[in-house]
Amino acid sequence: MQERLVYLDHGATSPLREEVLEAMLPFLKERYGNPSSLHSPGRVIRQAVEEAREKTALALGAEPDEIFFTSGGTESNNIAIRGAARARRSKGHLITTSIEHHAVLDVCKGLAEDGFSVTYLPVDRYGLVSLEMVEKALRPDTFMISIMMANNEVGTIEPVAEIGALARERGVLFHTDAVQAVGQIPLDLRELKIDLLTLSAHKFNGPKGVGALYVRRGTPVAPLYDGGGQEKALRPGTENVPGIVGLARALELAVEELPEKTRHLLALRRRLIEGLLAMDDTVLNGHPTARLPGNVNVSFNYIEGEALLLGLDLEGIAASSGSACTAGSPEPSHVLLAMGLGHQLARGSLRLTLGRENSDACLDHLFSVLPPLVERLRKMSALYPGQS
Ligand SMILES: *Cc1c(COP(=O)(O)O)cnc(C)c1O
């Protein structure tokens, strides 16, 4: 009998919830109007989009007119950073970190090619950015700080409340890539000093290809595309209506169930970390406590993460080494290297990201497969001192 799939890669994407699919279905079938049309089938759809905007705003502690729907986290990051740069009359300086997702790092690289200057802040061994470092990096021409709320590889939660307060005090825009944080940890934009925030639906059991950018009222951002007035011309193009409706429903459910889900994930995470660290030559990557409830990242010395992944896959376990976006490339994770791991440990990393449908039975299966697999791979490794 085929083993049931044990999915431990929620940091890459998460399954669409039944309730979310239900909410989306009418907009994939009979409710097909264009929200920009003046006739009644169009007006009904406009109303659905605006209700989704209200729900999204409510879940974040924002106002509906501060929510802009996009095609996902990557596009939101591009609009936030490139759009803020475009809205300026002169070049300037931007502060980010060396552990951002490529959807931030590559935008910064592009801006540097266009004549902006960029500071990539280092992190400590837990992946934490220090407020003092941010403060020291500020220059008279700094116009933006972009620092993620939680890291996608190691789950470290960054001090965005403090960084935001500093940015606001200095008159610098603060953008945060919160794709891993929204729907996973509590977050209230009425309390945080954030100007731009990125989120993506498929990371919290919503559909793929839809996200949002929160833009605080009065924040100067220019569109990257021309072509229409949708989303107040910041993101023109006919709206992904089923996606938008699904995003709002998924976020509403995630926020509603957050305390319960957090308890569930923390219990699983504790068992997972304890079990992994009981294995020889294994280290935990990321912060012991300031980390996402569903994130576990470990390095096994003397083995290749890729080999481990393939071995797990054969046993019906889906995990990740480094971030999914760089999988297949032989380079070790830029995040782990920035945290000071040597190449060997960085290459032996395994990321297990938990979700609401995971249970102790998933971990039972993992622990029946992983220790013998690690042992087998180490016996094959020339680096392993225990090799006979
Ligand atoms: C997944 C992810 C993204 C990209 O989001 P998409 O919606 O897949 O484009 C960006 N940033 C972080 C931190 C992510 O985890």
Side-chain angles (χ1 to χ4, degrees):
M1 198 183 83
Q2 174 75 36
E3 282 279 353
R4 199 166 57 89
L5 171 73
V6 171
Y7 186 79
L8 298 171
D9 201 14
H10 293 79
T13 196
S14 56
L16 186 73
R17 287 181 70 151
E18 195 59 40
E19 302 94 314
V20 175
L21 177 65
E22 294 281 307
M24 292 170 70
L25 276 176
F27 299 92
L28 288 159
K29 292 173 161 178
E30 66 271 18
R31 300 177 74 180
Y32 53 77
N34 186 320
S36 298
S37 298
L38 295 178
H39 48 61
S40 68
R43 290 202 310 271
V44 167
I45 306 301
R46 166 60 51 206
Q47 197 185 333
V49 170
E50 295 318 313
E51 275 170 19
R53 202 183 308 281
E54 281 163 28
K55 270 189 195 171
T56 305
L58 189 69
L60 299 172
E63 296 299 327
D65 65 350
E66 296 174 315
I67 303 298
F68 295 82
F69 293 114
T70 67
S71 67
T74 301
E75 187 184 18
S76 292
N77 283 341
N78 272 268
I79 297 175
I81 301 171
R82 227 174 225 294
R86 267 199 175 194
R88 293 172 56 78
R89 268 187 296 274
S90 56
K91 308 288 183 204
H93 173 241
L94 192 131
I95 299 169
T96 186
T97 76
S98 46
I99 61 159
E100 298 297 312
H101 190 276
H102 284 288
V104 165
L105 286 180
D106 292 353
V107 179
C108 292
K109 209 167 102 190
L111 284 181
E113 282 162 10
D114 292 347
F116 286 83
S117 52
V118 184
T119 298
Y120 298 91
L121 295 174
V123 293
D124 70 8
R125 67 194 187 100
Y126 298 119
L128 273 178
V129 178
S130 92
L131 185 66
E132 292 72 41
M133 291 272 206
V134 179
E135 188 161 18
K136 273 200 205 129
L138 284 166
R139 303 189 335 199
D141 64 338
T142 306
F143 71 95
M144 175 179 268
I145 299 170
S146 177
I147 295 180
M148 66 201 328
M149 194 169 283
N151 183 267
N152 47 299
E153 291 189 35
V154 295
T156 301
I157 299 170
E158 301 298 342
V160 291
E162 292 81 0
I163 297 167
L166 172 70
R168 186 69 53 87
E169 189 191 299
R170 301 296 181 88
V172 173
L173 293 178
F174 180 44
H175 165 247
T176 188
D177 175 347
V179 171
Q180 291 287 333
V182 170
Q184 316 295 342
I185 55 173
L187 183 173
D188 188 346
L189 287 169
R190 285 166 300 193
E191 287 164 11
L192 295 166
K193 306 269 189 287
I194 291 172
D195 301 295
L196 297 147
L197 176 141
T198 292
L199 64 91
S200 177
H202 74 99
K203 301 286 174 82
F204 50 84
N205 302 104
K208 292 170 184 61
V210 63
L213 180 66
Y214 158 81
V215 183
R216 193 171 74 93
R217 279 183 191 155
T219 306
V221 195
L224 304 187
Y225 296 149
D226 304 313
Q230 292 92 346
E231 300 301 290
K232 288 187 272 169
L234 184 59
R235 203 281 185 173
T238 300
E239 297 88 340
N240 172 3
V241 178
I244 288 168
V245 169
L247 179 153
R249 182 71 182 123
L251 183 56
E252 184 179 44
L253 288 166
V255 168
E256 229 170 72
E257 298 171 3
L258 192 56
E260 184 192 327
K261 179 175 133 182
T262 304
R263 270 195 301 279
H264 175 62
L265 295 186
L266 284 178
L268 290 177
R269 191 185 78 183
R270 187 176 314 116
R271 183 179 162 207
L272 192 48
I273 292 178
E274 278 174 14
L276 291 167
L277 294 186
M279 295 167 64
D280 289 339
D281 287 306
T282 305
V283 292
L284 179 69
N285 298 319
H287 200 280
T289 52
R291 79 185 296 139
L292 293 170
N295 176 290
V296 175
N297 188 312
V298 287
S299 282
F300 298 95
N301 217 344
Y302 314 116
I303 53 178
E304 289 279 347
E306 303 280 308
L308 201 51
L309 271 197
L310 298 177
L312 288 174
D313 186 49
L314 286 176
E315 302 287 346
I317 299 168
S320 156
S321 78
S323 71
C325 318
T326 53
S329 84
E331 285 301 297
S333 142
H334 67 285
V335 175
L336 296 177
L337 293 183
M339 287 162 54
L341 266 77
H343 275 241
Q344 211 205 107
L345 268 185
R347 294 178 70 137
S349 76
L350 178 72
R351 181 185 75 169
L352 301 164
T353 39
L354 301 157
R356 55 189 292 280
E357 79 283 358
N358 288 140
S359 63
D360 272 304
C362 300
L363 301 195
D364 292 343
H365 183 50
L366 178 76
F367 283 124
S368 72
V369 167
L370 189 63
L373 176 62
V374 167
E375 197 175 330
R376 207 159 64 238
L377 290 171
R378 278 185 180 154
K379 283 204 173 122
M380 287 156 50
S381 163
L383 302 164
Y384 189 42
Q387 196 191 26
S388 50

